[in-house]
Amino acid sequence: MEEERKKLEKIYQALNEEDTDIKKWNQALIPKAILLFPTIAFALTFLKINTDKSIIDLLGFIAIGVLLVFGGIFLNYLLSKGK
């Protein structure tokens, strides 16, 4: 029992001694905003220009684009696999 307690104390001390670098959610907000801005701008302009379209139409449009990109990547993989 005493040995386990000493082991746990060593582990506890080791954890307290380590300098963990944990970032808070509000750190580096500017890079996060820069990454999110094009997506938000595209969605807003798509819905503003196409007033008769809904969110489902937007998601379908994006899904078709993603499928085309992945299809091209897959074809490239298949063609380069034979070399």
Side-chain angles (χ1 to χ4, degrees), residues 25-34:
W25 70 270
N26 61 349
Q27 289 180 337
L29 283 178
I30 293 174
K32 290 176 186 174
I34 290 171

Side-chain angles (χ1 to χ4, degrees), residues 2-80:
E2 188 67 28
E3 291 176 12
E4 290 180 12
R5 184 175 179 189
K6 288 181 181 178
K7 287 180 184 178
L8 288 175
E9 286 178 4
K10 286 181 184 178
I11 292 172
Y12 180 74
Q13 288 175 356
L15 288 174
N16 283 337
E17 289 174 1
E18 289 181 16
D19 186 23
T20 56
D21 186 25
I22 299 174
K23 292 186 177 181
K24 295 181 181 175
W25 70 270
N26 61 349
Q27 289 180 337
L29 283 178
I30 293 174
K32 290 176 186 174
I34 290 171
L35 288 174
L36 290 176
F37 178 72
T39 306
I40 294 170
F42 171 76
L44 290 176
T45 55
F46 180 87
L47 294 173
K48 176 114 175 138
I49 293 170
N50 301 310
T51 54
D52 59 335
K53 304 288 183 188
S54 67
I55 298 279
I56 295 181
D57 294 327
L58 173 64
L59 294 176
F61 177 73
I62 292 171
I64 290 172
V66 168
L67 286 174
L68 288 173
V69 169
F70 283 132
I73 292 171
F74 183 68
L75 284 175
N76 188 14
Y77 170 73
L78 288 178
L79 292 174
S80 66

